[in-house]
Structures are given as structure tokens and as C-alpha cells.
Amino acid sequence: MSHLIHKPEPIMSPKPLVLALSLAVLSVTPAVAQDHSHGHAQTAGSISAEATEAATTVDAFHAALKAGDTSAALLLLAPDVMIFEEGGAERSRNEYASHHLASDAAFAAASDNVVSRRSGWADGDVAWITSEGRTTGQFNGRAVDRLTTETMVLKRHADGWRIHHIHWSSRAPR
């Protein structure tokens, strides 16, 4: 009779399941402020060898925003990117382009960010890059001084890594 026992197949393959679980965890924590420019200071933490190219994509995205090259920044986002910030969500590259992209680029140009810790992992074609830092400067006539966190989930495509999820959060230093 043991030959009649059927072992159920997994509902999802591991890679989509890992991505789905990552996005579920990220969606629980609300984002509270903007932080979009990154400095090149030495950082604590570690990037796995498999996630190095994904981290380079994150850096390229921030460099494009800081330079005001919004077209280059958009090319690094997947069409269905989900961006969480200040308790809100932008659900596509087109929605981000029509709402916050220009102000994010202006903010990045007017402020400086030093990343103090960055970690990154990859599992096949999915990578997670997490960053902590501090953003300072002047924006819209006001001083900026924020402790920042960022999580990006990326997927490897035929033409390179693309950002599929961003979660930005910040707070005033204590």
C-alpha cells in the first residue's frame, strides 16, 4: 500500500516563495520619510559575492537620481516595481515617474547621504540589499538631518539586475 501514498508537490518553487515572503515582511513595516542619495564611505556589514552586481545596480540608481538623470534611474526599475515610502505605495515604474521621481532626484541633488552599514544576499536570480545611513543638507529652504534605512529587492533579468521593490524609511536623530 505504500506505493499508493502520494507525496504532494510544493505549491510554489523556492525562488518565488522567497520573493513573496520577503515582500510580505517588507510590507508590514511602514516607510516614514525620504532618503535617496548615497555616499561612497566605507560601510560595515557585508555583501555576499552573489549580490555584488545587485549592489552595483542600487548604487547606479542612487547615482542617477543624484545626477538628475531620471531616465537612467527608471531603466534600473522593473516595470512592476513596488515602492513603499511614508506609508504610501507607488505600484509601477510609470506611477513613480509621474509622482515622486522628480522630487526624489531634486532631494538627492540637494542632500548628502553616507551609508554606514550595508548588507546584501542573493539566492539565484533574487537579491536583497539593505542599507543604513544618514542624510544631511538643505532642501526647500529647510535643514535635513535624517537617519535612514533602505531595503531593495532585485531580480536578475537577461540584461542585468532590476529593482522590483524599494522600501525607504527615516527618522530624526535622537
Side-chain angles (χ1 to χ4, degrees), residues 37-41 43 59 62 66 112-115 118 134:
S37 62
H38 283 232
H40 297 284
T43 60
D59 289 338
H62 287 294
K66 186 145 187 84
D112 292 307
N113 182 275
V114 175
V115 175
R118 176 177 273 175
R134 189 171 194 155

Side-chain angles (χ1 to χ4, degrees), residues 64-88:
L65 284 179
K66 186 145 187 84
D69 190 348
T70 56
S71 296
L74 288 174
L75 289 175
L76 298 170
L77 300 175
D80 62 347
V81 66
M82 176 73 78
I83 300 172
F84 291 165
E85 180 177 28
E86 295 187 30

Side-chain angles (χ1 to χ4, degrees), residues 27-127:
S27 68
V28 173
T29 308
V32 295
Q34 293 186 11
D35 165 42
H36 312 294
S37 62
H38 283 232
H40 297 284
Q42 284 292 92
T43 60
S46 65
I47 304 288
S48 71
E50 299 82 13
T52 302
E53 289 180 23
T56 299
T57 299
V58 170
D59 289 338
F61 175 76
H62 287 294
L65 284 179
K66 186 145 187 84
D69 190 348
T70 56
S71 296
L74 288 174
L75 289 175
L76 298 170
L77 300 175
D80 62 347
V81 66
M82 176 73 78
I83 300 172
F84 291 165
E85 180 177 28
E86 295 187 30
E90 291 176 318
R91 294 171 184 83
S92 71
R93 180 172 54 200
N94 289 341
E95 185 177 345
Y96 178 62
S98 67
H99 289 98
H100 290 110
L101 175 62
S103 63
D104 286 354
F107 181 82
S111 61
D112 292 307
N113 182 275
V114 175
V115 175
S116 58
R117 176 176 295 276
R118 176 177 273 175
S119 298
W121 311 268
D123 184 5
D125 291 335
V126 176

Side-chain angles (χ1 to χ4, degrees), residues 26 128-131 149-153 165-169:
L26 294 173
W128 305 259
I129 307 297
T130 61
S131 304
T149 60
E150 170 184 271
T151 302
M152 291 205 186
V153 178
H165 177 68
I166 302 172
H167 189 157
W168 283 308
S169 181

